[in-house]
Amino acid sequence: MNVKSSMVGLLPYQPGKPIEEVKRELGLEEVIKLASNENPYGCSPHVKEAMTHAFETIAIYPDGYARLLRKKVANHLNVEEEQLIFGNGSDEVILILCRAYLESEDNIVTAAPTFPQYRHNAVIEGAEVKEVPLQNGVHDLDAMLDAIDEKTKMVFVCNPNNPTGTYVDEQAFKAFIEKVPKDVLVISDEAYYEYVTQEDYPDTLPMLSSYPNLIILRTFSKAYGLASLRVGYGVASKEIVKAVDPGREPFNTNSMAQAAAIAALDDPSFIKMCREKNTQEMKKYEDFCQKNQLEYFPSQTNFILIDFQRSGSEIFDFLLKNGFITRNGEALGYSTSVRITLGTPEQNDKIISELTKWLA
């Protein structure tokens, strides 16, 4: 049996190497994973209690509509409950949107490089992918507008962008969406929203009333520290959510994840703490880069992409042998760079010290 032609040659998503695998392969006792943009401070302490209660219903199917979580998120965002669609991570919401809208004669417009799942899911549906190179690590919105044609169904704006950590400001985003044809979906992927500190970052939620073609994606995997539970969501018009919801798998967010996400939203002080620590630790990396005359993209996320002007594999392998799992820039579109997730203060001090010795 042959898979459909659009699947031929596609590779599954490649996550960072697991800690235990690296320990076993290299004979290391301590390995620090700074590869997948996870929260080094874990999750809110309220989450454990909520999951303990949810465990009592583990033999029962979860609420497929995520009713309690839906109500909680709607109140948190000040939107209608019918404007939300939940997924097994925001990755699945991307899949649902591509499944619902794309056919073989369609195309999408994205930046390059950016989060690869936009391309991946569009290709599976047989659609063309029109990739527009970043300018200084930032989406080139004017060029992306020029790439839109009568066959374009959706445009993805990863904001802040992965892997660069850069962002499109509110003025630029508003000017962009104003010019996008109303029958083209604009998907603002805001997975790192909670880490952003810049005041001119787009406030997209109020834009939903003016731009019915806007879809906002957010997740509990990053700042909320619930990566293993896989729960994300999209916010859009009621009409869009109603249209795409049949493409959602039944029971796609489990009971434990829903309970954990509700508890996480009840602890805004945890997110505030994570954002403040992230900002403090980012300064360490920026100072390190400036001291060693290394180029980097100013980041509004919990990771930083640093250009070492050496093969990304060389730096990645050096760090791996010394107990640090990072992301090789060669796989991200930056062949002489490495992307490092910000860890705890102690973890960051260790990797910066190791890199400083390597550069000496």
Side-chain angles (χ1 to χ4, degrees):
M1 296 290 289
N2 295 322
V3 298
K4 60 184 182 181
S5 60
S6 63
M7 293 282 290
V8 176
L10 274 183
L11 298 175
Y13 181 78
Q14 298 294 316
K17 292 175 74 71
I19 291 175
E20 293 306 317
E21 180 181 327
V22 174
K23 284 184 177 180
R24 185 174 60 253
E25 286 181 359
L26 300 179
L28 298 171
E29 291 188 5
E30 181 187 25
V31 171
I32 298 171
K33 184 184 178 188
L34 301 174
S36 301
N37 309 334
E38 296 141 336
N39 188 338
Y41 308 107
C43 60
S44 165
H46 299 333
V47 167
K48 183 176 181 179
E49 181 180 357
M51 291 180 67
T52 300
H53 289 303
F55 185 79
E56 300 300 321
T57 63
I58 200 168
I60 301 171
Y61 282 111
D63 176 4
Y65 191 62
R67 197 171 305 276
L68 294 179
L69 177 59
R70 182 179 298 274
K71 183 177 181 64
K72 193 75 174 181
V73 173
N75 289 337
H76 177 68
L77 301 181
N78 194 29
V79 299
E80 298 293 327
E81 294 178 27
E82 296 83 3
Q83 290 182 261
L84 296 168
I85 182 168
F86 291 89
N88 186 33
S90 55
D91 298 348
E92 191 194 22
V93 181
I94 296 167
L95 182 153
I96 292 168
L97 292 172
C98 290
R99 173 188 286 179
Y101 284 104
L102 296 179
E103 298 179 296
S104 59
E105 65 269 21
D106 300 324
N107 70 58
I108 70 165
V109 175
T110 79
T114 192
F115 186 52
Q117 292 305 101
Y118 313 143
R119 157 180 272 280
H120 188 87
N121 285 294
V123 168
I124 288 175
E125 300 303 327
E128 177 190 5
V129 179
K130 303 176 78 172
E131 296 180 309
V132 177
L134 299 172
Q135 291 294 316
N136 298 317
V138 182
H139 284 60
D140 186 346
L141 296 182
D142 289 337
M144 291 176 74
L145 277 171
D146 290 341
I148 295 172
D149 60 27
E150 67 279 359
K151 295 182 179 180
T152 304
K153 280 288 183 71
M154 52 183 67
V155 180
F156 286 91
V157 180
C158 188
N159 200 25
N161 187 48
N162 181 4
T164 57
T166 56
Y167 76 104
V168 171
D169 65 38
E170 180 155 14
Q171 182 178 357
F173 187 81
K174 278 187 172 179
F176 171 73
I177 196 170
E178 183 67 34
K179 297 175 184 176
V180 173
K182 302 308 177 189
D183 60 347
V184 174
L185 297 175
V186 177
I187 301 165
S188 180
D189 188 346
E190 303 175 4
Y192 300 91
Y193 169 81
E194 288 79 12
Y195 286 115
V196 174
T197 59
Q198 290 293 329
E199 293 184 358
D200 61 348
Y201 179 80
D203 185 8
T204 48
L205 288 170
M207 298 183 197
L208 289 167
S209 59
S210 301
Y211 303 100
N213 58 329
L214 174 63
I215 301 172
I216 301 163
L217 302 182
R218 294 189 184 171
T219 184
F220 286 92
S221 294
K222 304 303 181 184
Y224 286 101
L226 305 182
S228 69
L229 294 176
R230 313 304 302 127
V231 56
Y233 59 92
V235 195
S237 69
K238 294 179 183 180
E239 291 74 19
I240 286 178
V241 171
K242 184 178 180 180
V244 304
D245 199 45
R248 177 177 57 82
E249 295 295 321
F251 313 119
N252 63 331
T253 57
N254 66 73
S255 298
M256 303 283 271
Q258 292 178 31
I262 290 169
L265 284 175
D266 277 333
D267 193 1
S269 62
F270 175 78
I271 295 297
K272 182 174 183 290
M273 178 273 290
C274 292
R275 181 169 53 248
E276 289 173 351
K277 285 190 174 183
N278 189 75
T279 301
Q280 292 168 4
E281 294 305 300
M282 184 67 76
K283 183 70 164 52
K284 288 183 182 178
Y285 284 93
E286 293 172 345
D287 290 345
F288 162 75
C289 290
Q290 291 162 12
K291 181 178 179 180
N292 292 281
Q293 298 182 322
L294 299 172
E295 293 187 359
Y296 66 97
F297 290 113
S299 176
Q300 285 296 302
T301 66
N302 66 332
F303 62 80
I304 185 168
L305 186 71
I306 303 174
D307 187 352
F308 289 90
Q309 289 299 306
R310 307 264 191 101
S311 162
S313 293
E314 178 185 345
I315 310 149
F316 173 82
D317 290 340
F318 165 78
L319 289 172
L320 194 64
K321 290 173 183 176
N322 285 277
F324 300 96
I325 307 173
T326 57
R327 284 303 296 268
N328 187 342
E330 292 179 4
L332 303 173
Y334 289 91
S335 61
T336 58
S337 299
V338 164
R339 192 191 70 189
I340 302 173
T341 301
L342 274 60
T344 63
E346 295 76 20
Q347 291 171 339
N348 297 326
D349 290 343
K350 284 183 179 180
I351 193 172
I352 288 173
S353 174
E354 205 64 54
L355 285 167
T356 300
K357 288 187 288 185
W358 179 70
L359 289 168

